């Protein structure tokens, strides 16, 4: 390891916060200046490194990648945390014919067409890949500091349940999770609201996901409250989550290729830009990714940006409820991380663009050097709507006997459309179809297979507090329950 990397520091995209270490930002959310943390430089994997990594098991790979970021956790501790997290027992809830020992098995449909299974964790969605690690990292860091943490988050479905299943029963941690009232599938609701652990608090907000996310941001920006009540976050802006997601890009790459001079394309169903941001960083670290294919649903803010250079987030009224609900997002929080790299890590320039977006509702990089630089980052994009989703689910079922969920279907549709000929296409599976029964029934006229642990989950008693979109009410509720 390079001596300069022995202490990785993290800087804010807004350029006005002191640099911190991995564990210093682990329990926090936004940087004090409102920006997002990124490593001050990306660790590099050389051809020799990649050759050594090719044969590694998932936990070995996770350690190799994460040890470059979590430089202030002793190696033996990090290894123990990673080994405890990435086991076939934790990631063994998916389809019966999957090879759970791989943690993220690659399912090959056709030559050059693969699905990377990321949804075999406890909540059947890819969020478990990072969140289970986060739960163990939090427990480790809190016990070392003899401290407590109250996690405040917003979810459009999968983040919330993944966080709750990662944190339930953990000492010194409470979870306050906001979700849009009535906007999630009955399975998603049951998964979250049926948890009876006393350290888990479900709050259903009368609004959309973006309203819930704004409430979380408002509380996080109240520094006095945040400090007094030891508020932390597990939303996808959390750096440790992004870093954990980098690992499976390496795993998928090695599984789909024979040698490290091959390139691949990843297709990524995107909402908050967390998943594909990890792919971007894996590529910046030296992984031979030829294309990062970003797929949106009807909420196509990100597709618009990558096609036109215009970034124009929509308000709640223009954020549509779709049959891939975990992507019903019109203000992608992690996008700022990519933009920071795109503008050459010029925090002043980034702040300028963000100010423009706040005053004019949009910014446009047309005619700037950034527009010219954009293709060199490997991104292409496309959009998939309800009819496309149904068509893709039917086609996969008919041709390969594989049932995919609605989000994964969006990724596959756009991936097949946008892939460069000759590149193996790795489609990231972000959830299992069991979570979205209604749309599967509409597409195929049959029920998706449901893993045994989830049979009858909707009939369990539920624990949830309904609340208006009122930040003061939220603060009072937290204060009353800690
Ligand atoms: C969270 C989620 C997405 C979107 O991922 P981002 O990291 O927010 O871009 C896509 N599909 C499913 C099933 C998800 O849970």
């Amino acid at each position: 390891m390079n001596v300069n990397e022995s202490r990785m520091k993290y800087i804010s995209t807004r350029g006005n916060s002191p640099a911190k270490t991995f564990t210093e930002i682990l329990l926090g959310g936004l940087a004090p200046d409102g920006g997002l943390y990124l490593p001050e430089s990306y660790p590099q994997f050389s051809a020799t490194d990649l050759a050594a990594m090719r044969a590694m098991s998932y936990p070995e790979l996770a350690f190799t990648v994460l040890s470059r970021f979590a430089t202030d956790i002793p190696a033996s501790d990090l290894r123990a945390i990673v080994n405890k997290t990435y086991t076939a027992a934790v990631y063994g809830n998916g389809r019966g014919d999957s090879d759970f020992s791989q943690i993220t098995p690659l399912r090959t449909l056709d030559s050059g067409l693969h699905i990377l299974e990321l949804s075999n964790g406890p909540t059947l969605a890819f969020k478990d890949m990072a969140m289970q690690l986060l739960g163990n990292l939090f427990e480790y860091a809190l016990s070392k500091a003899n401290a407590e943490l109250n996690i405040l988050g917003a979810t459009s479905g999968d983040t919330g349940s993944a966080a709750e299943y990662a944190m339930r029963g953990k000492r010194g941690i409470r979870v306050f999770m906001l979700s849009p009232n009535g906007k999630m599938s009955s399975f998603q609701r049951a998964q979250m609201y049926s948890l009876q652990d006393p350290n888990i608090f479900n709050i259903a907000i009368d609004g959309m996901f973006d309203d819930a996310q704004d409430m979380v941001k408002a509380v996080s920006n109240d520094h006095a409250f945040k400090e007094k009540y030891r508020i932390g976050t597990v939303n996808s802006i959390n750096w440790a989550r992004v870093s954990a997601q980098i690992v499976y890009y390496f795993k998928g790459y090695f599984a789909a290729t024979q040698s490290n001079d091959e390139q691949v394309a990843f297709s990524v169903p995107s909402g908050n830009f967390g998943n594909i941001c990890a792919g971007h960083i894996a590529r910046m670290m030296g992984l031979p990714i030829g294309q990062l294919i970003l797929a949106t649903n009807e909420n196509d803010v990100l597709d618009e940006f990558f096609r036109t250079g215009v970034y124009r987030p929509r308000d709640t009224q223009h954020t549509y409820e779709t049959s891939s609900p975990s992507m019903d997002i019109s203000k992608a929080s992690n996008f700022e991380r990519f933009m920071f790299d795109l503008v050459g890590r010029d925090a002043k320039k980034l702040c300028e663009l963000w100010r423009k977006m706040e005053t004019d509702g949009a910014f446009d990089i047309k005619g700037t050097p950034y527009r010219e630089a954009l293709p060199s980052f490997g991104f292409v994009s496309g959009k998939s709507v309800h009819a496309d989703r149904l068509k893709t689910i039917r086609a996969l079922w008919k041709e390969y006997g594989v049932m995919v969920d609605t989000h994964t279907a969006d990724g596959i549709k756009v991936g097949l459309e946008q892939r460069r000929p000759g590149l193996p296409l790795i489609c990231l599976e972000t959830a299992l179809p069991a979570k979205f029964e209604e749309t599967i029934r509409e597409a195929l006229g049959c029920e998706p297979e449901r893993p045994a642990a989830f049979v009858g989950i909707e009939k369990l008693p539920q624990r949830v507090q309904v609340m208006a979109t009122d930040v003061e009410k939220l603060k009072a509720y937290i204060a009353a329950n800690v």
Side-chain angles (χ1 to χ4, degrees):
M1 190 194 285
N2 188 316
V3 184
N4 295 327
E5 286 176 11
S6 62
R7 276 279 179 195
M8 173 68 79
K9 289 282 194 165
Y10 292 84
I11 55 172
S12 166
T13 50
R14 306 273 172 102
N16 204 14
S17 298
K20 296 268 181 81
T21 67
F22 184 89
T23 50
E24 284 169 345
I25 62 167
L26 174 65
L27 301 174
L30 292 173
D33 61 6
L36 279 71
Y37 285 111
L38 269 178
E40 62 188 350
S41 67
Y42 293 123
Q44 296 297 308
F45 287 112
S46 65
T48 317
D49 293 327
L50 290 176
M53 291 162 80
R54 177 165 280 278
M56 286 183 182
S57 69
Y58 197 97
E60 288 171 326
L61 210 46
F63 174 77
T64 303
V65 171
L66 294 170
S67 60
R68 299 285 192 99
F69 292 114
T71 51
D72 59 343
I73 298 180
S76 57
D77 291 354
L78 183 63
R79 206 178 273 283
I81 291 166
V82 160
N83 287 343
K84 175 174 155 189
T85 303
Y86 296 108
T87 69
V90 174
Y91 296 96
N93 302 286
R95 297 182 174 87
D97 66 341
S98 296
D99 180 2
F100 298 133
S101 72
Q102 295 298 309
I103 310 300
T104 60
L106 188 79
R107 187 178 287 268
T108 296
L109 302 180
D110 232 329
S111 94
L113 178 60
H114 315 273
I115 291 179
L116 187 63
E117 295 184 21
L118 304 177
S119 307
N120 299 327
T123 71
L124 309 182
F126 87 99
K127 304 269 188 332
D128 292 325
M129 293 309 306
M131 209 64 88
Q132 289 289 318
L133 179 79
L134 208 61
N136 289 326
L137 281 172
F138 277 17
E139 187 177 52
Y140 169 82
L142 289 168
S143 79
K144 277 212 139 177
N146 198 18
E148 285 195 359
L149 181 71
N150 295 304
I151 292 168
L152 176 62
T155 185
S156 53
D158 296 312
T159 312
S161 53
E164 292 180 355
Y165 280 76
M167 307 295 168
R168 61 189 294 204
K170 291 228 147 79
R171 287 247 312 264
I173 303 180
R174 291 180 201 84
V175 178
F176 294 88
M177 188 56 64
L178 277 56
S179 50
N181 195 13
K183 304 280 194 298
M184 299 188 296
S185 75
S186 58
F187 182 92
Q188 286 179 312
R189 282 200 298 274
Q191 233 182 355
M192 288 178 58
Y193 302 166
S194 69
L195 287 179
Q196 300 295 330
D197 306 70
N199 70 327
I200 304 295
F201 299 88
N202 284 301
I203 304 165
I205 295 299
D206 283 324
M208 298 290 284
F209 167 76
D210 290 329
D211 299 316
Q213 185 161 264
D214 286 345
M215 289 172 76
V216 169
K217 281 191 182 152
V219 173
S220 292
N221 285 334
D222 180 343
H223 301 306
F225 185 90
K226 188 178 166 188
E227 199 163 313
K228 178 166 182 205
Y229 291 101
R230 298 172 302 277
I231 300 294
T233 179
V234 293
N235 274 343
S236 59
I237 56 166
N238 180 290
W239 167 255
R241 275 187 64 186
V242 175
S243 69
Q245 291 173 341
I246 294 169
V247 177
Y248 53 71
Y249 282 87
F250 281 84
K251 182 73 180 161
Y253 172 79
F254 292 127
T257 57
Q258 305 291 322
S259 90
N260 298 335
D261 50 22
E262 291 174 60
Q263 287 199 333
V264 300
F266 282 98
S267 85
V268 189
S270 294
N272 250 326
F273 204 81
N275 197 357
I276 202 161
C277 187
H280 157 68
I281 294 168
R283 190 185 153 278
M284 299 293 279
M285 292 167 74
L287 191 67
I289 298 176
Q291 277 185 308
L292 285 164
I293 303 174
L294 181 143
T296 69
N297 63 16
E298 289 85 338
N299 298 292
D300 58 354
V301 174
L302 293 168
D303 178 40
E304 181 179 6
F305 174 76
F306 284 101
R307 280 187 300 100
T308 68
V310 175
Y311 185 61
R312 187 161 50 90
R314 320 264 202 274
D315 58 16
T316 303
Q317 283 72 43
H318 298 92
T319 303
Y320 310 111
E321 279 177 50
T322 75
S323 49
S324 45
S326 301
M327 292 154 61
D328 292 351
I329 291 167
S330 296
K331 237 188 269 168
S333 41
N334 277 289
F335 181 64
E336 183 170 334
R337 286 195 161 108
F338 172 72
M339 279 305 296
F340 186 60
D341 284 340
L342 183 65
V343 299
R345 299 200 144 208
D346 179 345
K348 271 209 193 78
K349 186 70 210 175
L350 184 106
C351 291
E352 218 175 89
L353 290 172
W354 251 245
R355 261 197 309 275
K356 174 123 178 79
M357 179 177 74
E358 265 146 37
T359 50
D360 302 356
F363 64 73
D364 184 354
I365 61 167
K366 214 177 293 142
T368 71
Y370 317 126
R371 183 71 185 100
E372 271 157 53
L374 190 55
S376 72
F377 285 85
F379 278 83
V380 289
S381 73
K383 162 181 175 176
S384 163
V385 301
H386 185 71
D388 300 318
R389 212 165 285 142
L390 297 182
K391 205 169 137 193
T392 304
I393 292 170
R394 287 187 194 117
L396 270 275
W397 184 237
K398 188 161 162 253
E399 275 174 59
Y400 307 108
V402 172
M403 203 185 278
V404 294
D405 94 290
T406 52
H407 308 75
T408 308
D410 289 335
I412 293 171
K413 184 257 181 188
V414 176
L416 289 171
E417 239 167 42
Q418 299 288 337
R419 73 188 298 191
R420 204 154 68 215
L423 286 192
L425 175 63
I426 304 172
C427 302
L428 300 190
E429 172 206 68
T430 55
L432 286 192
K435 299 193 82 167
F436 305 97
E437 286 174 342
E438 218 177 291
T439 309
I440 297 297
R441 263 198 307 271
E442 185 183 349
L444 302 176
C446 65
E447 298 289 322
E449 181 192 340
R450 193 181 267 205
F454 299 92
V455 174
I457 188 176
E458 290 93 339
K459 297 197 184 72
L460 298 174
Q462 300 192 353
R463 253 177 95 232
V464 60
Q465 172 73 46
V466 177
M467 197 180 284
T469 54
D470 180 337
V471 177
E472 294 312 313
K473 285 219 171 75
L474 176 59
K475 286 182 184 167
Y477 182 80
I478 294 170
N481 283 291
V482 301

